[in-house]
Amino acid sequence: MAKKIIAVVPLWDDEKDSIWMLPGYMDGVKAAGAIPVILPLGSETEDVLAVFEKCDGLLMTGGHDVSPSLYQEPRRAACGISCEDRDRIERALYERALAREKPVLGICRGIQLINVLQGGTLYQDLPTEHNSGIEHHMKPPYTAVSHYVNIKRDSPLYDLIRTERLGVNSYHHQAIKRLGEELEIMAVSEDGLAEAIRHTRQRFVWAVQWHPEFDFPVNPASRAIFETFVGACQ
């Protein structure tokens, strides 16, 4: 059987005006038995979509803050830099994935953007809007546990990893505020933030706020997430 091809959204380097990639995203996909392909972010939207048509799934990675304009809110002072080109192209990719019923996995920024594209909103900066004392922006090593999440027993994520409490790494300062339409929360942090979601009307659209690409070599739950995503690709 031919290996599945996973389209990976690259990160953007403002200083070098170029795309770049953390190897963990690629390695996680390869370890799950698929072929990762970095999309040409600087190209025209239709060209990127043409490449995506040849792929079996979409991995939405971390990176810049989602522009508040996408959820019709003014930018707060603590909101980080956005990448308008990435917002635009990634929106088109997500919409095409839904239309083609291609599996999607969102990580960090990925969960935030999926929520926004489904009509939800974000905390633009947790320290100033939701300061709970929980460490959401950890320092290395990123294989360590930053905090715990509570996994809902009636969720597909629980069916996969068979635990109600999971230690996760964490490196973000934005998070889901109002949940988007047709989304369901699968895991919640100790301070009440949505940490894992799924699309209720798609075969496989999952997203997590933590970073399985950093710890999948040592964390069975992170490996299982990548493997389930790749396994959903037809």
Side-chain angles (χ1 to χ4, degrees), residues 143-203:
T143 54
V145 171
S146 178
H147 64 81
Y148 288 83
V149 299
N150 299 313
I151 299 174
K152 297 191 175 184
R153 286 186 64 93
D154 60 349
S155 70
L157 183 59
Y158 177 84
D159 293 341
L160 176 65
I161 61 177
R162 308 302 296 178
T163 185
E164 292 185 57
R165 191 167 186 261
L166 178 68
V168 298
N169 54 16
S170 188
Y171 190 77
H172 63 106
H173 85 113
Q174 297 198 321
I176 290 174
K177 186 176 183 180
R178 186 185 73 240
L179 188 67
E181 298 176 1
E182 299 180 335
L183 298 179
E184 179 178 86
I185 295 173
M186 298 195 291
V188 180
S189 63
E190 298 160 287
D191 54 349
L193 296 175
E195 288 272 345
I197 61 173
R198 74 179 186 98
H199 195 300
T200 59
R201 299 187 65 180
Q202 290 285 319
R203 186 168 55 83

Side-chain angles (χ1 to χ4, degrees), residues 36-174:
V37 174
I38 301 175
L39 293 172
L41 188 61
S43 302
E44 295 295 326
T45 301
E46 287 305 316
D47 291 342
V48 178
L49 291 176
V51 174
F52 181 54
E53 288 292 341
K54 303 179 185 301
C55 299
D56 303 292
L58 176 65
L59 176 57
M60 299 171 67
T61 58
H64 285 72
D65 286 0
V66 176
S67 174
S69 65
L70 292 182
Y71 47 100
Q72 293 77 53
E73 288 190 5
R75 181 181 295 272
R76 296 176 178 267
C79 184
I81 297 172
S82 300
C83 178
E84 293 184 3
D85 280 346
R86 183 170 175 187
D87 286 342
R88 171 179 52 81
I89 290 175
E90 204 163 2
R91 179 175 195 162
L93 285 164
Y94 179 71
E95 292 174 350
R96 183 64 56 88
L98 297 191
R100 298 287 192 267
E101 296 188 340
K102 293 185 179 185
V104 177
L105 176 62
I107 294 176
C108 194
R109 168 190 156 91
I111 190 175
Q112 297 162 14
L113 184 57
I114 287 172
N115 184 66
V116 167
L117 296 179
Q118 293 293 144
T121 63
L122 301 178
Y123 290 107
Q124 294 186 33
D125 179 63
L126 291 177
T128 57
E129 297 180 54
H130 188 82
N131 190 356
S132 66
I134 298 295
E135 181 55 77
H136 289 287
H137 199 270
M138 69 188 294
K139 296 179 180 180
Y142 298 121
T143 54
V145 171
S146 178
H147 64 81
Y148 288 83
V149 299
N150 299 313
I151 299 174
K152 297 191 175 184
R153 286 186 64 93
D154 60 349
S155 70
L157 183 59
Y158 177 84
D159 293 341
L160 176 65
I161 61 177
R162 308 302 296 178
T163 185
E164 292 185 57
R165 191 167 186 261
L166 178 68
V168 298
N169 54 16
S170 188
Y171 190 77
H172 63 106
H173 85 113
Q174 297 198 321

